[in-house]
Amino acid sequence: AQSVTQLGSHVSVSEGALVLLRCNYSSSVPPYLFWYVQYPNQGLQLLLKYTSAATLVKGINGFEAEFKKSETSFHLTKPSAHMSDAAEYFCAVSGGFKTIFGAGTRLFVKA
Amino acid sequence: GAVVSQHPSWVICKSGTSVKIECRSLDFQATTMFWYRQFPKQSLMLMATSNEGSKATYEQGVEKDKFLINHASLTLSTLTVTSAHPEDSSFYICSARGDSGRTNTGELFFGEGSRLTVL
């Protein structure tokens, strides 16, 4: 069985500040982990994915995430927030056929 | 990357009518597609798994007769909301997982979503 917990339904940062969105997972098998971004009234777009290769994964738009097995975490970071990063972010885990999504974290970016 | 197209993006219908939403994989074959429902400010709720050439697998609590799914080809799955009522108003999103090597890591490719409003 798998599950995903995203800590914080809302995160607010200033433009140029560090972005940190937290995700913890549980999985009975080696997981594949994903971060997706959703803009209003749109589908989800893949930001990055972990598939058992390098533990530090780089994605699009300057985002990256680090897989930490000991902490069962896959937190998403970006060194400098941009206004265009304001969106909903979903962490997801897949260890088999289905993909399980976290509840989502809405990122607000203040000017 | 792989492209999934969903149509229509927006639909408004009267209560009691049926609405069909299409999900197409444009540049790859999708043996499996997934249909989600998303309520405002919430995560995606998996409704059903659509398998090409066979019956869809519905999640617990999802009415099969209400949400008809057809996956007649490797590039098209349809969701029909039958006898729609205002409580069926929601954002419906499809995703596809192909049978090519690039998707064997579990990555999903999402459609743009369809906003259904039932009056």
Side-chain angles (χ1 to χ4, degrees):
Chain A
Q2 295 150 317
S3 67
V4 176
T5 301
Q6 288 184 242
L7 301 177
S9 58
H10 297 83
V11 170
S12 182
V13 300
S14 298
E15 192 173 20
L18 171 71
V19 175
L20 172 60
L21 303 183
R22 300 177 186 273
C23 173
N24 288 90
Y25 71 92
S26 68
S27 178
S28 55
V29 297
Y32 296 136
L33 294 160
F34 309 85
W35 275 99
Y36 290 91
V37 61
Q38 184 182 32
Y39 297 99
N41 293 310
Q42 293 187 27
L44 276 66
Q45 179 185 5
L46 181 69
L47 276 178
L48 49 80
K49 62 182 178 183
Y50 167 77
T51 57
S52 75
T55 56
L56 181 62
V57 181
K58 295 186 182 298
I60 62 172
N61 302 337
F63 284 94
E64 62 181 39
E66 186 172 8
F67 172 71
K68 292 186 177 180
K69 184 178 180 180
S70 61
E71 299 178 9
T72 61
S73 68
F74 190 57
H75 301 331
L76 181 70
T77 61
K78 181 174 180 177
S80 177
H82 192 273
M83 296 297 288
S84 61
D85 295 327
E88 187 86 19
Y89 292 82
F90 292 96
C91 181
V93 61
S94 172
F97 191 67
K98 291 183 181 178
T99 299
I100 306 300
F101 290 88
T105 298
R106 181 162 295 276
L107 176 65
F108 296 93
V109 182
K110 300 174 291 185
Chain B
V3 178
V4 175
S5 178
Q6 202 171 327
H7 177 80
S9 301
W10 300 82
V11 57
I12 301 174
C13 69
K14 294 181 178 180
S15 185
T17 61
S18 295
V19 174
K20 180 185 286 187
I21 301 170
E22 295 186 346
C23 181
R24 294 181 184 273
S25 57
L26 298 186
D27 55 356
F28 68 104
Q29 294 182 332
T31 54
T32 303
M33 290 183 174
F34 302 91
W35 286 96
Y36 300 85
R37 184 172 180 177
Q38 186 179 32
F39 293 99
K41 300 182 180 181
Q42 294 189 28
S43 189
L44 283 72
M45 181 191 78
L46 179 64
M47 299 174 64
T49 301
S50 172
N51 303 297
E52 187 269 333
S54 64
K55 292 183 178 180
T57 303
Y58 290 81
E59 295 299 304
Q60 190 173 11
V62 178
E63 299 177 59
K64 301 178 182 180
D65 296 331
K66 176 73 171 177
F67 300 99
L68 299 180
I69 291 173
N70 183 278
H71 194 153
S73 77
L74 287 171
T75 59
L76 174 64
S77 175
T78 60
L79 168 68
T80 301
V81 183
T82 63
S83 186
H85 291 283
E87 57 266 29
D88 299 324
S89 299
S90 191
F91 193 56
Y92 293 88
I93 307 175
C94 72
S95 68
R97 143 187 272 155
D99 55 2
S100 63
R102 64 182 167 177
T103 59
N104 61 3
T105 56
E107 178 181 346
L108 297 174
F109 301 97
F110 285 86
E112 307 92 331
S114 298
R115 172 77 57 193
L116 171 63
T117 301
V118 184
L119 303 177

